[in-house]
Amino acid sequence: MAEQLKIIPLGGLNEIGKNMTVYEYGGEIIVVDCGMAFPGDDMYGIDCVIPDVSYLVKHKNRIRGMFITHGHEDHIGAVPYILKKVNIPIYCTRLTAGLIRLKLEEHGLLKSTKIVTVESGMTVKAGKFSVEFIHVNHSIADAFMFAIRTPIGIIMHSGDFKIDYTPINGAIMDLQRIAQIGREGVLLFVCESTNIEVPGFSKSERHVGESMADMIKDAKGRIFVATFSSNVSRLQQIFTAAERHGRKVALVGRSMLNVFNAANNLGYIQKKPDTLIEISQVDNYPPEQVVIISTGSQGEPMSALTRIAFSNHREIEIQPGDTVIISATPIPGNEKPIYKVINELYRRGAKVYYSALADVHVSGHASQEEIKLVHALVRPKFFIPAHGETRMLYQHAELAHKLGVPFENIFILANGDIFEISKGSARVTGFTNGDAVLIDGASVGEVDNSVLRERKLLYGISSCYTRANFESITSEEYYDSLIRMGAYFIWYFHYMPVGNDASPELLPTPEQRTEVYRRIRRYRAEKPLFAMDFQNDAEFVGGCIAGGRTYLHINANGDVDPCVFIHYSDSNIREKTLLETMKSPLFMAYHDGQPFNDNMLRPCPMLENPEKLRAMVKSSGAHSTDLQSPETVDHLCAKCDRYAAEWKPTADKLWAENRAEHDAK
């Protein structure tokens, strides 16, 4: 049987963002793109989302290179995180390489990473693969489609593209070369689906430039333009329009500054020497002579525009009479934060232009007629729609069928699918992990307590106090630290001397337990963090809650224990129903004995009333369920006898005080 080509999408399917595809043949692998996605508005505290690359880590010695279609974040944003796990050479064009180098330098990976720059029309040999770089138009320079030649046929991987007959940089998409390859015979076409729902043709990038030039000409005060930092063509248009109308340009936002510097140093930005000024110099010029380009076109919480709109930026804020142009359309799911920023800009007296009101943005993605044209040129045998949400993939599949691809040759995949193709057949043969990985700052897949707070998740803390840690774990400083972390509640547990190796000397002293009693009640009354003390708050639940009264415990063997701390049983869930278990001698003894003491500061049949636990276990015939080191009930209770005797007078005094306070109310 001939070898199959494996195609494994790790991101970019049934979603917008984190594009990454694995191609594997004869034990060798290449990777196309390595992108991130913006977090959803329910991902509090998360900076970005990247693909799971456990498959690549497992087979890292087989990877021959990573090929990048263009320099947008959804295609390069995950590079530094992935390279920390899999160090492989990267093949891309000059601008893309410049943007990637910025990321690698920030992560300390620049010196250890091999980056090979490629020009349009070049072909790179990578093991059993050869990858040809074919120029396409997009909203960033140096964007490419790949013709991937394999022993079984040609794969066309579109990347992101549009057909722009009047592009800013003058380089038209190489439709002629695509047509030539189509005539050779294309086995499989993997094509983006972003604007498959949009009829007709996309507008040229020049259209935005003309519209924006008119807005800049007519504006009376300062002008803010928010756009994607990676949209170098858009930056060029803003500089051109600003210079035409006698305005200086300042940049704000770290990514904006980084991308501009990279593009400018590589010659992708043309401007006069004195046009660019520092953001700190803006106030030195009349408002009608200033344009400020910022990040934040998607309403990102920490972006420059968001901070400016809400007066959180240290150098600049919105003033009445300012004009704000949001030169982008919302990425699906980002609508709420964008409109929140727009509303705040209006409240502060700014005039706002955005996609719903003006021609401030054109898409960098092909509309239906452009996609049809490329399909007609490629003429693939098999087709996989990519780069889109589920509805987009299905609509693209319908379009491909209308253009002549049989339905049985069209495959709608999910991230993690292992798709195998030969010259005559194709099918999904397995799965790998295609889940998303969350990035918080520089950490990968890690979330600490501060992030739980940022995400506004309801969570609590469980703490066990002993004679040794009593002071620190019940201190006001410790309690306040939990409040700062965003915890909503805390469970305090008293040390239980359970097990043959337990240390009775860790049991708190009567004085310590009394202090815990008083501290927790004071904190609970004064501080915004609810606390419960498992041993000292029994009055609120009527004593011991175990033995099926409120809960019980079932271990891995199926033994049903009355309590998670009391490992004795006369029933197994594999042999009895739960109702039968509740009627067993041990559980009935629990039922008949509760509450085990009228003093609710002595609720436990083990810790404060060990004689009662001894009696219940022996009379019921229960056995130890400790799977590792069975402990007799006499051994367990002997560790509690002295503690119970020493605690009783203190507990009786505290309980009398408690009842007196209660009666007084």
Side-chain angles (χ1 to χ4, degrees), residues 26 39 56 69 148 161 179 207 274 288 368 370 411 446 529 595 650:
L56 294 179
T69 58
I148 305 171
F161 73 96
H207 180 80
D274 61 345
E288 64 274 11
Q368 285 180 10
E370 296 154 83
F411 296 87
E446 298 175 1
L529 172 63
T650 303

Side-chain angles (χ1 to χ4, degrees), residues 348-367:
R348 295 182 181 273
K351 186 174 184 178
V352 188
Y353 294 99
Y354 51 101
S355 58
L357 300 180
D359 290 332
V360 294
H361 179 70
V362 295
S363 177
H365 300 273
S367 297

Side-chain angles (χ1 to χ4, degrees), residues 280-461:
S280 59
Q281 298 175 296
V282 165
D283 291 339
N284 298 338
Y285 295 86
E288 64 274 11
Q289 294 182 12
V290 173
V291 174
I292 299 165
I293 308 176
S294 83
T295 56
S297 62
Q298 296 300 305
E300 305 96 315
M302 296 306 295
S303 67
L305 183 64
T306 300
R307 288 184 288 127
I308 292 168
F310 288 91
S311 296
N312 292 325
H313 197 277
R314 62 183 180 181
E315 292 182 291
I316 195 162
E317 61 180 305
I318 292 295
Q319 300 171 1
D322 287 340
T323 296
V324 180
I325 302 169
I326 299 178
S327 186
T329 53
I331 293 173
N334 281 11
E335 294 86 356
K336 278 187 173 181
I338 294 173
Y339 288 123
K340 182 180 179 182
V341 171
I342 291 173
N343 290 336
E344 190 61 29
L345 291 168
Y346 272 116
R347 275 193 284 267
R348 295 182 181 273
K351 186 174 184 178
V352 188
Y353 294 99
Y354 51 101
S355 58
L357 300 180
D359 290 332
V360 294
H361 179 70
V362 295
S363 177
H365 300 273
S367 297
Q368 285 180 10
E369 295 304 316
E370 296 154 83
I371 294 172
K372 287 180 183 178
L373 174 56
V374 174
H375 268 275
L377 297 177
V378 174
R379 297 181 293 178
K381 182 175 183 177
F382 297 98
F383 174 62
I384 295 175
H387 197 299
E389 297 182 357
T390 304
R391 69 183 190 278
M392 302 171 185
L393 304 185
Y394 276 88
Q395 289 174 38
H396 201 166
E398 290 282 350
L399 184 145
H401 176 63
K402 290 177 181 177
L403 294 171
V405 183
F407 270 129
E408 60 267 26
N409 288 1
I410 300 172
F411 296 87
I412 298 175
L413 305 182
N415 295 331
D417 282 350
I418 298 176
F419 177 77
E420 294 193 18
I421 185 171
S422 66
K423 291 181 179 180
S425 64
R427 63 191 180 100
V428 175
T429 60
F431 308 92
T432 187
N433 195 345
D435 295 338
V437 176
L438 307 182
I439 303 294
D440 167 41
S443 68
V444 180
E446 298 175 1
V447 178
D448 62 17
N449 290 323
S450 64
V451 176
L452 294 174
R453 179 189 63 218
E454 292 169 6
R455 295 187 195 177
K456 302 180 182 180
L457 294 178
L458 181 67
Y459 77 99
I461 306 291

